[in-house]
Amino acid sequence: MRVLVALGLLLAHGMQPGRVAAQAVSAQAVSATGTITGRVVEAVTEAPVAGASIRVVGQEGAVQSDAAGRFTLRGVRVGIATIEVRRLGFAPVQRGDIAVSPAKPAEVTVALRAIDVQLEAVTVRPEAFPAQMPASTPVSTQRYDAEEVRRQPGAQEDVLRAISIAPGVGVTSAARNDIIVRGGAPFENLFVVDNIEVPNINHFGSQGSTGGPISLINIRFVESASLSAGGFGARLGDRTSSATTITLREGNRERVAGELNVAATQVGAVLEGPLGSKGSFIANVRQSYLDLLFKAIGLSFLPRYTDATVKATWRPNQRDAFSLLTIGARGTISFDNTTDSNRVNNSQVLAPAQDQYFSGLTWKRLIRRGVVTTTLGRTYTRYVTAQRDSLLVPILESRSGEGENSLRTDVTVLASRRLEVETGTIFKYASQLRYDATLAGFTRRDAAGAAQPLRVDTSFTALRNGSYVQATWQTTPRLRLSGGVRGDWYAFLGNAVRVAPRLSGNWQVNEATTLSVSGGRYWQAPSYIWLVGDAGNAARLKPFRADQLVAGITRLVGSELKVQLEVYGKRYGDYPARRFRPQAVLSPGGFDDATTDIPFGLEPLQSTGTGTAYGVELFLQKKLGASPFYGQVSASVNRTQFAGVNGVRTRGAFDTPVLANAVLGWRPNAKWEVATRVRTSSGLPYTPWVETGAAAGTLDFSRYNSQRVPLFFAADLRIDRRFLLANRQFIAFFDAQNVTNRANSTAPVWNPRLRRAEPSENIGLLPSIGLNFEF
């Protein structure tokens, strides 16, 4: 702690251990420059745009993109830069938040949209926001660039925590990054990383769902992250709530460069550079030391993780591009059971150990007026999950492996100046689905309270396909209509076939105001592990659906401020309902204790649940540009209800009537940056405990979700400071979570020693420091 305090004081005073060094750094900061390289492409077809003019805002000089769309800007002042890109026949674009370092070039990709499908009177002022959203995500979509993700206060360098500030998005607890979108469960969210659909992108992730404590994607790899909270087009499917697309950046093609990262919980290294004259690579490895920190503060469970990422890109000519991505991770939890007290505490901790990887080979081929993208992917996770009582007798033991191969092809064609057509298909073959699980009867009771222990040892395979076609027609310079249909086939669910129509419209009232509406049906298959929780689940479970309608208005104020208002409604059907808990549908948000409730859907389920969700959202976003201030504010009012086997509607497990988030940042110069984030929301519902009688210590489902935890409020603070030394850049940061030290409550927990329910609170103030060295 003394080290943290000392480093915090150094940071607050500019980290000036000596005036000579400080003066040298200051002198270098005036003259130090870096390089921005990248590509300019057409937004729809991804064809290179030659002859585009690129300049750094606030600096003299400009360059033009070559025949391959590539450009290089040299002599750019170190810091955060904004570039302006123009080309006759295209709407000009302003791309900000580009981190320029003297040690390594910044690599960016800029997409331009042809103006003959824009307004009649196109503004010549470049905008920080796209004039039109892509047809695949026409509404409810927020996009965050690399720096916006990296510097998010309180995000712990986790991409999912960084984008959780989007409107309509909540979280389950401060200790997890489960994303709750418009009242839907975490398993309703789709994650696509470089065109690979990944079941879970987290260390210690929840099996059958999508959340976890920390993402396994290094935040320094992220080029952009886009979250669509609903109403997305036919290209995206097999999820009923949201779609998050994460694009990882390419390595620079100028020279070999690297980074060393040291934070409060992990250390990592990144290396990147050219591969011959037509390719590049970027690679990293990270190692946590959470186990050392947990042990130092006296905790008896000790998590530890390692991950590595490699991405290589090769562009042999102007028409073809190949990329290979592999991300692998390992996470383990060990226990200190040397004392009776530790054994009692550990008996309430479910310990997941995971080995996982996902990999993809992507080929992009430019065709006449279009592009074909094909990705061959593989995902695999081995779960070893255990929980033991205070005598070290097993409560839960589960060993399973889930491996899936995928082949995806997408084709986008500009059939005419006003007609865009997208079509594609994805085949998934789960070649390795292996489950070996034992669950004690006292943790798995039926509706009458009788113990129903589980012992399952099975394996199977699963084949599925999703195919779609979508056409987008610019009917007038101001009106764009898009319609599509998606069909999904689930061979492992009795050859079930489901059809999902989608329709959207965008009307640009003027150059600053757009009205949007989107509606459609969305289907999702049950998670594989749900099929083995009971002998009848495979026959009773089927794909569940959500019908969505979203309408909104967006207004641009100047070139850097966006105001957006949306209303939405969702109606669920065929939702997985719990037979042992007839009041409830399945809605896990992460399991910490198998004695609290049945984990992972290992119980009898049936597809008879229904639900509704509706709300209104307000969103304001200010990009960093000419003004040194940036930020965003979102507020939403929402209601969610579900009905289980008994048909009675109750609060959804993630019903949050009020959500509000705000981020405000200030960047007065190239050295300093200060940002704060404030989050508040209505407390999540919970089911109280039975506190007397033979059933004491079990959840009282006769009062299912009848209580609500207190209001959640947290404020985070982050300070970044850049230093230059010998043409190398250091970035130090101080990140304090929950600076008000508020003890936010979660649902009460059962104390087995005192035989009573007790309040549970998240950690208070949590300071963190980090240092990034670029060379």
Side-chain angles (χ1 to χ4, degrees), residues 39-61:
R39 301 172 61 240
V40 182
V41 299
E42 204 279 328
V44 176
T45 66
E46 300 186 41
V49 176
S53 174
I54 306 101
R55 75 177 186 91
V56 178
V57 176
Q59 296 185 215
E60 296 182 356

Side-chain angles (χ1 to χ4, degrees), residues 80 97 146-155 219 624 630 667 673 675 718 720:
I80 304 297
D97 269 335
E147 274 296 294
E148 293 176 302
V149 172
R150 184 197 65 81
R151 68 189 180 203
Q152 187 73 227
I219 206 165
L624 180 63
Y630 61 87
R667 192 172 184 278
E673 188 165 352
R718 179 173 175 126
D720 285 71

Side-chain angles (χ1 to χ4, degrees), residues 503-772:
L503 184 66
S504 69
N506 295 77
W507 178 42
Q508 290 193 268
V509 180
N510 52 50
E511 65 180 34
T513 305
T514 303
L515 300 178
S516 303
V517 64
S518 180
R521 172 160 287 188
Y522 299 80
W523 292 97
Q524 181 173 342
S527 297
Y528 293 131
I529 193 172
W530 302 351
L531 302 177
V532 305
D534 183 78
N537 280 2
R540 289 190 299 264
L541 288 175
K542 54 186 178 181
F544 55 96
R545 72 177 186 275
D547 296 323
Q548 298 190 29
L549 181 63
V550 184
I553 180 171
T554 301
R555 180 162 181 85
L556 301 181
V557 182
S559 62
E560 298 167 1
L561 177 64
K562 178 176 75 171
V563 182
Q564 178 178 297
L565 178 69
E566 287 190 342
V567 295
Y568 72 90
K570 291 195 290 187
R571 184 176 61 185
Y572 289 95
D574 298 329
Y575 209 79
R578 308 176 65 183
R579 291 165 69 94
F580 284 176
R581 310 285 186 263
Q583 306 88 346
V585 296
L586 189 64
S587 52
F591 291 97
D592 298 315
D593 183 359
T595 65
T596 299
D597 202 0
I598 304 171
F600 311 134
L602 293 173
E603 59 185 299
L605 302 170
Q606 63 186 52
S607 294
T608 57
T610 60
T612 58
Y614 55 89
V616 57
E617 300 168 353
L618 176 65
F619 180 62
L620 293 84
Q621 184 178 18
K622 165 67 171 63
K623 292 278 191 177
L624 180 63
S627 165
F629 295 98
Y630 61 87
Q632 68 176 58
V633 177
S634 65
S636 60
V637 179
N638 322 267
R639 290 310 304 265
T640 306
Q641 290 185 321
F642 279 95
V645 173
N646 67 1
V648 178
R649 286 187 174 271
T650 58
R651 294 170 177 165
F654 304 108
D655 175 56
T656 312
V658 178
L659 275 168
N661 298 308
V663 173
L664 176 63
W666 177 46
R667 192 172 184 278
N669 53 51
K671 298 177 183 179
W672 288 95
E673 188 165 352
V674 181
T676 183
R677 177 176 71 167
V678 177
R679 296 172 294 155
T680 186
S681 67
S682 306
L684 289 173
Y686 71 90
T687 302
W689 296 92
V690 176
E691 299 202 45
T692 60
T698 63
L699 293 175
D700 185 359
F701 276 85
S702 68
R703 297 184 290 163
Y704 176 64
N705 281 349
S706 62
Q707 306 296 312
R708 193 181 289 277
V709 301
L711 176 80
F712 172 86
F713 176 85
D716 308 317
L717 174 69
R718 179 173 175 126
I719 303 173
D720 285 71
R721 177 68 160 89
R722 286 176 164 81
F723 306 88
L724 297 177
L725 184 62
N727 208 34
R728 299 292 183 262
Q729 179 167 254
F730 294 82
I731 304 175
F733 69 85
F734 172 73
D735 195 348
Q737 298 178 61
N738 197 7
V739 293
T740 63
N741 201 29
R742 176 185 170 88
N744 286 300
S745 298
T746 57
V749 297
W750 184 255
N751 187 321
R753 287 173 288 189
L754 300 179
R755 303 288 295 171
R756 68 185 185 194
E758 295 183 337
S760 177
E761 296 178 344
N762 289 321
I763 194 169
L765 173 64
L766 183 61
S768 173
I769 59 171
L771 182 66
N772 184 50

